Amino acid sequence: MTDEIGHVRTIRIEDEMRGSYLDYAMSVIVSRALPDVRDGLKPVHRRILHTMNEMGLTAGAGYRKCAAIVGEVMGKYHPHGDVALYDALVRLAQDFSMRYPLVDGQGNFGSVDGDPPAAMRYTEARMTAIAAELLADIDKETVDFADNYDGTKREPSVLPAKLPNLLINGSSGIAVGMATNIPPHHLGEVCAATIALIDDPELTSDDLCEQILGPDFPTGGTIFRYERQKNPLTGQWEQVDAIRQMYAHGHGRVVMRAQVAFEETRANRMAVVVSELPYQVNKATLVEKIADLVSGRRIEGIADLRDESDRDGMRIVVELKRDANPHKVLNNLFKHTPMQLAFNLNMLALVDGQPQTLPLRSVLWHHVVWRREIVRRRTEFDLGKARDRAHILEGLKVALDHLDAVIRTIRESRDVEAARANLMERFDLSEAQAQAILDMRLARLAALERKKIEDEYLATIQLIAELEEILANPHRIDGIVKDELRALRTTYAGSRRTRIADDASREMTDEDLIADEDVVITVSGRGYIKRQPLATYRRQHRGGKGIIGARTVEEDALAHLLVANTHDWALFFTNRGRVFSSKVHQVPDAARTAKGIPIVNLEGVQVESGEVVLATITIPNFEKGHYLVMATRRGIIKKTPLEQFERVRSSGIRAITVNEGDELAYVEVTAGRDDLVLTTALGRIARFGQVEVRPMGRDAAGVIGIRLARQGDEVVGMHVVRPGTDLLVLTETGYGKRVALGDFRRKHRGSQGVRLIGLEGAKTGRVAATQLVTESDEELLLISAAGQVVRTDVTTVNRYSSDARGVIVMRLHPGDQVAGIAVFRAGLAEQRAIGDNDGPAGPTTSA
């Protein structure tokens, strides 16, 4: 080998190969394959975003051809192939690859089926709003710039990255002898963990797992927290927290599983419906894999396979044979296909240019340190600009204070240079101040403009003091970093997509495969029951006619209406005082106009001849410290601990001993403290303290709650008073109103009550139903005996006094009458949990 001046040098071939390979390896590691811990980006992605920012392709700008973007990046900063550059740009725009996409693409950018994107001459792109947070303040000398590949341009060595991008979007790459594989996470959780770490730097990775629950993949699915591992010391299998373990060491694995549910097809067959896939699973390849397994007889029991995905979402339908065991087929699908696989995490990133495997705490701490540096440099930049402006304003104030002398000096000067020098000498000004005076327009000499200069100078001095105080106080800088994180969480976080379950090793059960959704349950007077998705009923204004909720047979009016979750328990109380239980998802899903099935066909409900279900409630669990309060038609009331109903035989158990001529009709869940109200068909209401009803066993008959003074009267509602609630009253003909419960003072149990509503004979009919309501996001479902259902807001029903009859709430067809009310919130999760306040654990019916 010869050197630069032609001398021959002897070099061992192994030394030359070793040195060249190490240079290549470090180039791949530092400049291509691994992300920087500060902004979470590889050089190619950083250059793409920087170029788009220079081109003005922000979220509010128009789209530009991707070919133009790739050409700009390649010509200015990244001298590599256009195909690789375009692939990197495309990935930034794919919502199934990026948890928070950084590029807003227009056109075909590929699909979860593995379809390639359209050619770059057809597609267009611009940055998303969240991408701007990575580039925020880059023009304020917050980051260092370096020469590009040919020294003609300057490019940022790293972005300011207000976002903790390494975690929220993850990264993957293969270098020489090492690889990184970081999953995406939920922005809200990462921001919360970062704020907690700033407040307490002693937190460990295990502590931070209280905020960061686990990866949050853009494709959803389920991940499992626990995994069975063999202890190397004891040789015993143990259950370990896989998520905490991998975050503590910076590497590990977590099991991902597709989101599935069982459905019944039109051909009355069971089907496994896949709505979400594990991260980076190709849907088309998965369908092909299942088909191959079926044709090769490795999976038995599958009759048909369809991909019904559309713009509304993913839907793969695996239809089963009639004699197939759904659980066995599903477990085989998890075992033999990518519907279940492991994500191997390796949090390898560049720290000061060196690759390091980082635990969760280190990743967050590096982001905190980086953001402190960015805020400091930004504040120093703003401080310098403010001081420069104050300096100019001081010169303008001098000119305004000595206006005549300044004008005379300028007029007596030979030229601009002489005028500048004379001003500097006579008034002790700097060159910048003198130039600002020469550049000042005559309009600035007006009195109002002079006042503006003085006000601007005062504001600038205050800004300088504020910026100096920030630089002198590290806690102020931390406060700014935390405020920025809170703003990001509020603006961009959204809801978590990936569910977290406990143990992936156990077999799937029916409960696991039922979709977690809100449903409407209807029960007719003759005991026909069904459920439907809540979205079946659109919201209407007061006085609407609604839609048909069920086709009722002759002499069979709808009697109960409930809004519940598919995983809740349903308790059915009969007129004879017995109770049966079932899961809500065991109630068959039927068409809107179907009448349902007889309730006796439900598993665990063996109603005897002549026995009718008159009260139904739904609860998420049987929490101790709560009670069931029951009321009969004749005004008898009773309270029994809720846990006594946790185990109900299929033949039922006794809930209350009912006297002859009476029947159990109303049940509520309570924490045992607030007042109770009983309402009657003839418009009376009695309010009394719950302490007057002592807890009793299941066989007890109860005590008198209200005395019915008039013949033909009966109890039509029983409620537990909750703070801030009104009572909604609905008559048989559809008249209704809200009454403030504060209008009715507490009396002792056993009174005849006071007036609740002014009834007007046939015009209003009797009271049909009552229900407690609030104005906080609550909605109503009103149902008639003939099956009409109206969904409306609580606020559409006005408040009136106890003497008023109210207004038309539901317009009925001739001969029809109101059957019941259900109340629910748009987000049922809050309502389903049994809280500390008294009240129903879940929405109940009033009929």
Side-chain angles (χ1 to χ4, degrees), residues 37 351 356 358 361-371:
V37 71
V351 179
Q356 292 184 19
L358 303 168
R361 183 195 178 279
S362 296
V363 175
L364 294 177
W365 186 249
H366 281 298
H367 179 73
V368 170
V369 172
W370 176 237
R371 285 306 300 171

Side-chain angles (χ1 to χ4, degrees), residues 57-132:
L57 298 180
T58 57
Y63 294 90
R64 285 286 300 277
K65 287 290 187 182
C66 289
I69 300 171
V70 170
E72 287 282 318
V73 177
M74 186 167 55
K76 292 181 178 179
Y77 304 115
H78 200 73
H80 297 277
D82 60 333
V83 175
L85 254 173
Y86 183 50
D87 287 343
L89 173 64
V90 164
R91 187 181 185 278
L92 294 178
Q94 292 175 336
D95 58 4
F96 53 87
S97 296
M98 304 285 287
R99 180 61 179 85
Y100 299 92
L102 303 178
V103 170
D104 177 13
Q106 184 169 264
N108 175 17
F109 277 77
S111 72
V112 73
D113 285 320
D115 299 321
M120 68 179 82
R121 63 183 179 273
Y122 299 120
T123 56
E124 299 177 336
R126 64 184 179 187
M127 290 192 297
T128 59
I130 200 171

Side-chain angles (χ1 to χ4, degrees), residues 119-364:
M120 68 179 82
R121 63 183 179 273
Y122 299 120
T123 56
E124 299 177 336
R126 64 184 179 187
M127 290 192 297
T128 59
I130 200 171
E133 307 293 352
L134 290 173
L135 294 149
D137 304 319
I138 196 172
D139 57 344
K140 294 187 176 183
E141 300 178 0
T142 52
V143 297
D144 295 330
F145 280 69
D147 289 336
N148 68 340
Y149 65 93
D150 62 358
T152 59
K153 292 281 185 180
R154 301 279 289 175
E155 63 174 313
S157 57
V158 66
L159 297 186
K162 191 182 296 183
L163 289 168
N165 186 60
L166 183 65
L167 283 178
I168 67 167
N169 272 322
S171 183
S172 63
I174 301 175
V176 178
M178 60 186 69
T180 185
N181 198 28
I182 304 172
H185 292 78
H186 187 256
L187 175 60
E189 296 176 5
V190 175
C191 289
T194 308
I195 293 171
L197 186 60
I198 294 173
D199 291 335
D200 185 3
E202 300 300 320
L203 293 177
T204 64
S205 294
D206 193 64
D207 296 329
L208 294 170
C209 287
E210 297 296 326
Q211 279 80 29
I212 298 180
L213 305 179
D216 186 25
F217 299 109
T219 53
T222 300
I223 59 176
F224 293 90
R225 174 171 298 280
Y226 297 104
E227 188 176 21
R228 294 180 70 245
Q229 296 181 2
K230 182 176 288 187
N231 190 316
L233 299 178
T234 64
Q236 300 294 321
W237 287 95
E238 298 177 351
Q239 191 178 52
V240 299
D241 192 327
I243 293 179
R244 290 178 181 264
Q245 193 176 70
M246 73 179 186
Y247 283 145
H249 299 96
H251 58 82
R253 62 171 236 155
V254 61
V255 176
M256 305 180 294
R257 180 176 281 177
Q259 184 66 19
V260 298
F262 282 153
E263 287 187 10
E264 188 173 353
T265 66
R266 293 180 179 178
N268 294 324
R269 290 176 172 171
M270 292 300 296
V272 176
V273 178
V274 182
S275 57
E276 297 172 7
L277 290 179
Y279 186 48
Q280 295 178 330
V281 169
N282 185 309
K283 176 163 64 71
T285 302
L286 171 65
V287 173
E288 184 179 347
K289 175 70 172 178
I290 296 174
D292 290 342
L293 291 171
V294 173
S295 63
R297 297 185 179 276
R298 295 191 61 188
I299 296 182
E300 302 286 346
I302 295 179
D304 192 16
L305 175 63
R306 300 186 301 275
D307 184 0
E308 299 179 355
S309 305
D310 55 21
R311 292 185 178 181
D312 295 329
M314 182 180 299
R315 181 178 170 86
I316 303 172
V317 180
V318 183
E319 191 169 331
L320 308 182
K321 296 178 180 178
R322 298 185 188 278
D323 58 346
N325 184 326
H327 302 289
K328 183 177 180 180
V329 174
L330 183 59
N331 285 319
N332 278 326
L333 288 173
F334 286 141
K335 181 178 180 180
H336 297 291
T337 74
M339 284 176 58
Q340 176 174 307
L341 45 78
F343 185 96
N344 294 294
L345 176 141
N346 187 25
M347 288 204 287
L348 184 70
L350 295 175
V351 179
D352 297 329
Q354 300 296 319
Q356 292 184 19
T357 299
L358 303 168
L360 177 61
R361 183 195 178 279
S362 296
V363 175
L364 294 177

Side-chain angles (χ1 to χ4, degrees), residues 397-587:
K397 282 173 56 64
V398 170
L400 295 175
D401 292 340
H402 306 84
L403 185 58
D404 294 337
V406 167
I407 294 174
R408 188 182 311 111
T409 300
I410 296 174
R411 293 182 61 185
E412 292 174 353
S413 300
R414 183 179 65 257
D415 53 23
V416 174
E417 295 295 331
R420 184 187 304 111
N422 292 336
L423 288 173
M424 294 170 60
E425 179 180 356
R426 183 169 181 180
F427 298 102
D428 192 23
L429 300 174
S430 67
E431 183 176 353
Q433 289 173 323
Q435 185 63 44
I437 293 172
L438 293 173
D439 293 339
M440 185 171 61
R441 298 171 59 218
L442 292 177
R444 302 297 297 273
L445 301 180
L448 188 59
E449 292 296 321
R450 295 171 64 181
K451 181 67 167 58
K452 287 183 179 179
I453 291 175
E454 294 173 354
D455 292 343
E456 183 183 357
Y457 178 71
L458 179 60
T460 305
I461 293 301
Q462 293 174 343
L463 176 61
I464 291 172
E466 173 74 9
L467 296 174
E468 288 176 340
E469 201 273 334
I470 290 174
L471 292 173
N473 188 350
H475 293 293
R476 288 291 305 276
I477 293 179
D478 284 349
I480 293 173
V481 173
K482 291 193 293 185
D483 290 342
E484 291 175 346
L485 289 170
R486 293 188 186 101
L488 290 172
R489 179 175 58 187
T490 301
T491 306
Y492 302 109
S495 58
R496 166 174 271 277
R497 297 181 184 176
T498 301
R499 302 158 187 81
I500 299 178
D502 288 337
D503 187 6
S505 62
R506 64 183 176 85
E507 295 292 312
M508 298 292 291
T509 65
D510 283 336
E511 191 80 7
D512 300 317
L513 302 172
I514 298 301
D516 192 348
E517 63 176 344
D518 299 333
V519 294
V520 176
I521 297 176
T522 56
V523 185
S524 75
R526 293 179 59 180
Y528 282 83
I529 188 170
K530 68 171 184 175
R531 66 178 169 93
Q532 303 160 259
L534 180 58
T536 303
Y537 304 100
R538 61 179 178 85
R539 187 183 305 177
Q540 294 181 324
H541 295 293
R542 172 180 62 81
K545 287 190 175 182
I547 61 175
I548 290 293
R551 294 289 183 191
T552 57
V553 298
E554 187 178 357
E555 299 180 354
D556 184 21
L558 289 175
H560 304 279
L561 179 69
L562 301 95
V563 179
N565 186 272
T566 47
H567 290 263
D568 286 348
W569 283 96
L571 298 181
F572 304 98
F573 297 83
T574 72
N575 57 333
R576 296 179 181 176
R578 295 203 302 156
V579 60
F580 302 87
S581 70
S582 177
K583 278 289 193 175
V584 169
H585 63 73
Q586 293 176 338
V587 177

